[in-house]
Every structure is written in C-alpha cells, then in structure tokens.
Amino acid sequence: MITYPSTRGVFEEDIHEICGVVHANGGQVYMDGANMNAQVGLCRPEDIGSGVVA
C-alpha cells in the first residue's frame, strides 16, 4: 500500500520506479485514496502505476 502524496504532502520522485519494482515481482500497488484531493490536476493514479485505489 502506498499513500501518494505522503501524509506530509510529499510527491515521491521515484514513484514510477517503486511501482515498477512491485509489478516486476508479481505484486500489485494499492493506493490509499485519502490524499487524492492533492492529486487533482497534477497526476492520475494510472500514470503513477497504481493498480487499485480505495
């Protein structure tokens, strides 16, 4: 599970690499939807590499 941006409001610069490593090892990235308001107009969960958002 990943919170993006973090609870402190940090947009992790290596998010694509992090999600890629998880996917390469057969995992799925679950994105916590609690901070989705901070993403509006800046990014989309699909572009980040998240498989599930709740």
Side-chain angles (χ1 to χ4, degrees), residues 4-54:
Y4 190 78
S6 72
T7 304
R8 298 183 331 251
V10 175
F11 283 86
E12 174 62 52
E13 293 180 15
D14 297 323
I15 190 69
H16 293 101
E17 182 180 346
I18 294 166
C19 291
V21 169
V22 172
H23 292 146
N25 287 282
Q28 186 173 28
V29 178
Y30 170 91
M31 182 182 294
D32 179 13
N35 293 343
M36 287 195 70
N37 287 337
Q39 294 181 16
V40 175
L42 298 175
C43 58
R44 301 180 318 164
E46 179 182 3
D47 296 339
I48 294 166
S50 174
V52 178
V53 180

